[in-house]
Amino acid sequence: MALNHLNLLRPFLCQSLVRPARSSLTVTSWVGFRPPVCPGAFLHPAPACIRLYATKKAKAKAKGQSAKVNINSSLVEDIISLDEVKEDMTAVLSALKDEFTRNLSIRTSPGALDHIVVTTQDGKFPLNQLGQISMKSPQVIVVNMSSFPEATAAATRALRESSMNLNPEADGTIIKVPVPKVTREHRENLAKLAKQFSNKAKDSLRRVRSNSVSQVKKAKESHSEDTIRLVEKQIQQMADNIAVEIDKQLAAKTKELLG
Protein backbone atom coordinates (compact mmCIF):
# COMPACT_ATOMS: atom_id res chain seq x y z
CA MET A 1 0.00 0.00 0.00
CA ALA A 2 2.87 2.42 0.88
CA LEU A 3 4.64 1.46 -2.35
CA ASN A 4 1.59 2.37 -4.39
CA HIS A 5 1.43 5.83 -2.77
CA LEU A 6 5.15 6.35 -3.49
CA ASN A 7 4.62 5.59 -7.17
CA LEU A 8 1.83 8.16 -7.33
CA LEU A 9 4.03 10.85 -5.75
CA ARG A 10 7.12 10.15 -7.90
CA PRO A 11 6.20 12.53 -10.86
CA PHE A 12 5.64 15.44 -8.49
CA LEU A 13 8.95 14.79 -6.72
CA CYS A 14 10.84 14.75 -10.05
CA GLN A 15 9.22 18.02 -11.16
CA SER A 16 10.20 19.72 -7.88
CA LEU A 17 13.82 18.68 -8.50
CA VAL A 18 13.82 19.99 -12.09
CA ARG A 19 12.38 23.49 -11.34
CA PRO A 20 15.36 24.82 -9.31
CA ALA A 21 17.78 23.61 -11.95
CA ARG A 22 15.72 25.20 -14.73
CA SER A 23 15.47 28.60 -13.00
CA SER A 24 19.26 28.80 -12.54
CA LEU A 25 19.95 28.33 -16.27
CA THR A 26 19.96 31.06 -18.92
CA VAL A 27 17.73 30.82 -21.98
CA THR A 28 20.71 29.92 -24.15
CA SER A 29 21.97 27.12 -21.87
CA TRP A 30 18.41 25.82 -21.41
CA VAL A 31 18.21 25.03 -25.15
CA GLY A 32 20.90 22.36 -24.81
CA PHE A 33 19.94 21.20 -21.29
CA ARG A 34 18.49 17.68 -20.92
CA PRO A 35 16.95 17.23 -17.46
CA PRO A 36 16.49 13.79 -16.01
CA VAL A 37 13.27 12.16 -17.13
CA CYS A 38 11.13 10.64 -14.45
CA PRO A 39 8.32 8.26 -15.23
CA GLY A 40 5.07 10.19 -15.51
CA ALA A 41 6.73 13.60 -15.50
CA PHE A 42 5.72 16.07 -18.33
CA LEU A 43 8.30 18.54 -19.65
CA HIS A 44 7.61 21.40 -22.07
CA PRO A 45 9.83 21.44 -25.21
CA ALA A 46 12.78 23.83 -25.20
CA PRO A 47 12.10 27.21 -26.81
CA ALA A 48 13.38 27.56 -30.38
CA CYS A 49 16.21 29.97 -31.19
CA ILE A 50 15.01 32.67 -33.59
CA ARG A 51 17.25 34.80 -35.86
CA LEU A 52 16.05 38.00 -37.47
CA TYR A 53 17.39 38.82 -40.93
CA ALA A 54 17.33 42.26 -42.54
CA THR A 55 15.22 42.48 -45.67
CA LYS A 56 16.73 43.44 -49.04
CA LYS A 57 14.81 46.72 -48.92
CA ALA A 58 16.23 47.58 -45.50
CA LYS A 59 19.76 46.72 -46.65
CA ALA A 60 19.41 48.88 -49.77
CA LYS A 61 18.08 51.78 -47.69
CA ALA A 62 20.94 51.48 -45.22
CA LYS A 63 23.44 51.32 -48.08
CA GLY A 64 21.99 54.42 -49.71
CA GLN A 65 22.11 56.35 -46.46
CA SER A 66 25.71 55.39 -45.73
CA ALA A 67 26.82 56.36 -49.24
CA LYS A 68 25.65 59.98 -48.94
CA VAL A 69 28.35 62.59 -48.48
CA ASN A 70 28.20 66.35 -48.14
CA ILE A 71 31.56 68.01 -48.64
CA ASN A 72 32.09 71.70 -48.01
CA SER A 73 33.10 72.92 -51.47
CA SER A 74 35.48 75.51 -49.99
CA LEU A 75 37.59 72.73 -48.45
CA VAL A 76 38.38 71.11 -51.80
CA GLU A 77 38.74 74.20 -54.00
CA ASP A 78 42.32 73.25 -54.81
CA ILE A 79 41.06 69.92 -56.20
CA ILE A 80 37.92 70.95 -58.08
CA SER A 81 35.13 73.52 -57.92
CA LEU A 82 32.08 71.53 -56.89
CA ASP A 83 29.92 74.61 -57.44
CA GLU A 84 30.94 74.71 -61.10
CA VAL A 85 30.30 70.98 -61.45
CA LYS A 86 26.83 71.50 -60.02
CA GLU A 87 26.20 74.38 -62.43
CA ASP A 88 27.26 72.26 -65.41
CA MET A 89 25.00 69.40 -64.35
CA THR A 90 22.09 71.74 -63.67
CA ALA A 91 22.61 73.28 -67.12
CA VAL A 92 22.04 69.84 -68.65
CA LEU A 93 18.67 69.60 -66.89
CA SER A 94 17.74 73.14 -67.91
CA ALA A 95 18.60 72.39 -71.55
CA LEU A 96 16.36 69.32 -71.45
CA LYS A 97 13.44 71.35 -70.08
CA ASP A 98 14.00 73.87 -72.86
CA GLU A 99 14.01 71.11 -75.49
CA PHE A 100 10.75 69.76 -74.11
CA THR A 101 9.12 73.19 -74.18
CA ARG A 102 10.20 74.13 -77.69
CA ASN A 103 10.03 70.81 -79.52
CA LEU A 104 7.35 68.78 -77.80
CA SER A 105 4.34 71.04 -77.74
CA ILE A 106 1.09 69.37 -78.77
CA ARG A 107 -0.40 72.71 -79.78
CA THR A 108 1.94 74.37 -82.25
CA SER A 109 2.41 78.09 -81.66
CA PRO A 110 4.63 80.75 -83.28
CA GLY A 111 7.12 80.42 -80.42
CA ALA A 112 7.48 76.72 -81.15
CA LEU A 113 9.32 77.57 -84.39
CA ASP A 114 11.83 79.98 -82.84
CA HIS A 115 14.40 77.29 -82.11
CA ILE A 116 14.55 75.88 -85.65
CA VAL A 117 18.06 76.43 -86.99
CA VAL A 118 18.42 77.56 -90.60
CA THR A 119 21.68 76.81 -92.39
CA THR A 120 22.69 79.58 -94.79
CA GLN A 121 25.87 80.51 -96.68
CA ASP A 122 26.73 82.91 -93.87
CA GLY A 123 26.27 80.33 -91.13
CA LYS A 124 23.51 78.90 -88.93
CA PHE A 125 20.80 81.13 -87.49
CA PRO A 126 17.58 80.63 -85.50
CA LEU A 127 14.51 81.07 -87.68
CA ASN A 128 13.19 83.97 -85.60
CA GLN A 129 16.34 85.99 -86.43
CA LEU A 130 15.75 85.61 -90.16
CA GLY A 131 11.97 85.90 -90.43
CA GLN A 132 8.96 87.31 -88.66
CA ILE A 133 6.80 84.51 -87.29
CA SER A 134 3.10 85.04 -86.67
CA MET A 135 -0.17 83.14 -86.44
CA LYS A 136 -2.41 83.76 -89.47
CA SER A 137 -5.15 81.49 -88.11
CA PRO A 138 -5.42 78.67 -85.53
CA GLN A 139 -4.49 76.29 -88.36
CA VAL A 140 -1.69 78.22 -90.11
CA ILE A 141 1.60 79.83 -89.01
CA VAL A 142 3.20 82.37 -91.32
CA VAL A 143 6.92 83.15 -91.60
CA ASN A 144 7.69 86.44 -93.36
CA MET A 145 11.20 86.23 -94.88
CA SER A 146 11.18 89.67 -96.56
CA SER A 147 14.13 90.82 -94.40
CA PHE A 148 16.28 87.94 -95.68
CA PRO A 149 14.63 86.73 -98.89
CA GLU A 150 17.75 84.82 -99.94
CA ALA A 151 17.23 82.49 -96.93
CA THR A 152 13.62 81.59 -97.80
CA ALA A 153 14.50 78.24 -99.43
CA ALA A 154 16.82 77.30 -96.57
CA ALA A 155 14.16 78.21 -93.99
CA THR A 156 11.54 76.15 -95.80
CA ARG A 157 13.89 73.17 -95.87
CA ALA A 158 14.73 73.55 -92.16
CA LEU A 159 11.04 73.57 -91.27
CA ARG A 160 10.34 70.47 -93.36
CA GLU A 161 13.31 68.55 -91.93
CA SER A 162 12.51 69.41 -88.31
CA SER A 163 11.09 66.83 -85.94
CA MET A 164 7.76 68.66 -85.73
CA ASN A 165 6.06 66.90 -88.64
CA LEU A 166 5.64 70.17 -90.58
CA ASN A 167 4.79 70.62 -94.28
CA PRO A 168 5.66 74.26 -95.12
CA GLU A 169 4.77 75.93 -98.43
CA ALA A 170 6.74 78.92 -99.77
CA ASP A 171 4.95 81.71 -101.69
CA GLY A 172 7.58 84.29 -102.58
CA THR A 173 9.07 85.42 -99.27
CA ILE A 174 6.10 84.13 -97.28
CA ILE A 175 6.25 80.62 -95.83
CA LYS A 176 2.94 79.11 -94.76
CA VAL A 177 3.15 76.36 -92.18
CA PRO A 178 -0.07 74.36 -91.59
CA VAL A 179 -0.47 73.33 -87.97
CA PRO A 180 -0.41 69.51 -87.86
CA LYS A 181 -3.47 67.73 -86.56
CA VAL A 182 -2.94 66.20 -83.16
CA THR A 183 -3.37 62.46 -83.79
CA ARG A 184 -2.56 59.55 -81.53
CA GLU A 185 0.35 58.66 -83.81
CA HIS A 186 1.68 62.21 -83.52
CA ARG A 187 1.47 62.05 -79.72
CA GLU A 188 3.36 58.74 -79.67
CA ASN A 189 6.05 60.14 -81.96
CA LEU A 190 6.49 63.10 -79.64
CA ALA A 191 6.77 60.73 -76.66
CA LYS A 192 9.53 58.80 -78.47
CA LEU A 193 11.28 62.08 -79.18
CA ALA A 194 11.06 62.98 -75.51
CA LYS A 195 12.81 59.73 -74.66
CA GLN A 196 15.57 60.54 -77.15
CA PHE A 197 16.05 63.99 -75.65
CA SER A 198 16.30 62.55 -72.13
CA ASN A 199 18.86 59.96 -73.27
CA LYS A 200 20.98 62.70 -74.84
CA ALA A 201 20.71 64.67 -71.61
CA LYS A 202 21.98 61.67 -69.63
CA ASP A 203 24.87 61.31 -72.08
CA SER A 204 25.78 64.95 -71.48
CA LEU A 205 25.48 64.41 -67.73
CA ARG A 206 27.83 61.42 -67.89
CA ARG A 207 30.38 63.51 -69.78
CA VAL A 208 30.26 66.20 -67.11
CA ARG A 209 30.71 63.59 -64.38
CA SER A 210 33.52 61.81 -66.23
CA ASN A 211 35.44 65.03 -66.91
CA SER A 212 35.04 66.09 -63.27
CA VAL A 213 36.28 62.75 -61.93
CA SER A 214 39.26 62.87 -64.29
CA GLN A 215 40.16 66.29 -62.90
CA VAL A 216 39.91 64.97 -59.34
CA LYS A 217 42.18 62.01 -60.08
CA LYS A 218 44.94 64.39 -61.14
CA ALA A 219 45.17 65.59 -57.53
CA LYS A 220 45.96 62.13 -56.11
CA GLU A 221 49.62 62.93 -55.51
CA SER A 222 48.91 65.97 -53.32
CA HIS A 223 45.90 64.63 -51.40
CA SER A 224 45.01 61.52 -49.42
CA GLU A 225 43.15 58.65 -51.04
CA ASP A 226 40.26 59.13 -48.61
CA THR A 227 39.83 62.76 -49.65
CA ILE A 228 39.93 61.90 -53.36
CA ARG A 229 37.43 59.10 -52.82
CA LEU A 230 35.02 61.38 -50.95
CA VAL A 231 35.15 64.02 -53.67
CA GLU A 232 34.46 61.39 -56.33
CA LYS A 233 31.49 60.12 -54.30
CA GLN A 234 30.19 63.68 -53.98
CA ILE A 235 30.35 64.15 -57.76
CA GLN A 236 28.62 60.80 -58.38
CA GLN A 237 25.93 61.72 -55.88
CA MET A 238 25.32 65.05 -57.66
CA ALA A 239 25.07 63.26 -61.00
CA ASP A 240 22.62 60.72 -59.56
CA ASN A 241 20.38 63.51 -58.26
CA ILE A 242 20.26 65.18 -61.70
CA ALA A 243 19.58 61.81 -63.37
CA VAL A 244 16.57 61.36 -61.08
CA GLU A 245 15.29 64.80 -62.10
CA ILE A 246 15.73 63.91 -65.79
CA ASP A 247 13.60 60.81 -65.28
CA LYS A 248 10.94 62.89 -63.52
CA GLN A 249 10.86 65.38 -66.37
CA LEU A 250 10.53 62.57 -68.91
CA ALA A 251 7.72 60.91 -66.96
CA ALA A 252 5.79 64.18 -66.67
CA LYS A 253 6.24 65.08 -70.35
CA THR A 254 5.28 61.57 -71.51
CA LYS A 255 2.11 61.72 -69.42
CA GLU A 256 1.30 65.13 -70.88
CA LEU A 257 1.86 63.98 -74.48
CA LEU A 258 0.00 60.70 -74.30
CA GLY A 259 -2.84 62.06 -72.21
Side-chain angles (χ1 to χ4, degrees):
M1 186 71 176
L3 183 59
N4 291 336
H5 283 85
L6 182 60
N7 288 334
L8 292 173
L9 293 173
R10 183 179 298 172
F12 298 98
L13 292 173
C14 290
Q15 287 183 351
S16 64
L17 292 174
V18 171
R19 285 196 188 96
R22 181 187 302 177
S23 61
S24 63
L25 296 173
T26 63
V27 174
T28 305
S29 61
W30 171 245
V31 173
F33 177 71
R34 293 181 177 274
V37 180
C38 298
F42 177 79
L43 295 177
H44 292 284
C49 183
I50 301 175
R51 292 189 63 182
L52 299 178
Y53 294 90
T55 63
K56 291 183 178 180
K57 184 176 181 180
K59 288 182 179 178
K61 183 177 180 181
K63 183 179 180 181
Q65 291 177 345
S66 62
K68 288 185 178 181
V69 293
N70 188 13
I71 300 176
N72 188 332
S73 59
S74 62
L75 299 179
V76 293
E77 286 180 346
D78 56 335
I79 300 177
I80 193 173
S81 174
L82 292 177
D83 292 336
E84 291 183 2
V85 174
K86 184 177 181 180
E87 288 178 3
D88 292 342
M89 291 183 176
T90 303
V92 172
L93 181 61
S94 298
L96 177 65
K97 293 179 180 179
D98 191 42
E99 288 280 9
F100 281 176
T101 301
R102 294 185 303 174
N103 296 339
L104 302 179
S105 176
I106 296 178
R107 298 294 179 184
T108 305
S109 62
L113 304 183
D114 291 348
H115 73 285
I116 292 181
V117 177
V118 181
T119 303
T120 68
Q121 293 180 349
D122 298 326
K124 296 182 178 181
F125 302 92
L127 180 61
N128 62 352
Q129 292 185 10
L130 300 176
Q132 183 179 0
I133 307 173
S134 60
M135 206 82 180
K136 182 178 180 180
S137 69
Q139 291 78 31
V140 179
I141 298 176
V142 173
V143 183
N144 189 338
M145 299 292 297
S146 58
S147 298
F148 296 92
E150 68 278 7
T152 302
T156 303
R157 183 169 56 254
L159 287 165
R160 185 176 292 111
E161 294 177 354
S162 70
S163 59
M164 300 179 67
N165 191 31
L166 302 176
N167 188 24
E169 298 176 358
D171 183 9
T173 58
I174 301 297
I175 304 175
K176 297 180 180 179
V177 186
V179 177
K181 184 179 180 180
V182 182
T183 62
R184 184 65 185 180
E185 182 181 3
H186 182 55
R187 289 175 178 269
E188 291 175 352
N189 288 336
L190 291 178
K192 291 178 182 179
L193 192 59
K195 179 66 174 178
Q196 294 176 11
F197 285 148
S198 65
N199 288 339
K200 289 181 180 179
K202 287 185 176 181
D203 288 340
S204 299
L205 179 63
R206 281 190 286 267
R207 284 194 294 271
V208 174
R209 181 194 60 79
S210 179
N211 293 337
S212 301
V213 171
S214 297
Q215 182 178 342
V216 172
K217 290 183 181 298
K218 294 179 181 178
K220 279 188 174 181
E221 295 181 358
S222 56
H223 294 80
S224 67
E225 292 184 3
D226 290 341
T227 300
I228 297 299
R229 191 179 301 109
L230 284 176
V231 176
E232 290 177 352
K233 284 184 177 181
Q234 178 76 70
I235 293 173
Q236 182 62 56
Q237 183 174 298
M238 293 163 63
D240 290 342
N241 292 339
I242 296 296
V244 170
E245 290 300 318
I246 289 176
D247 289 337
K248 288 181 179 179
Q249 291 294 322
L250 175 60
K253 177 56 68 172
T254 301
K255 183 178 180 180
E256 173 191 331
L257 293 172
L258 297 180

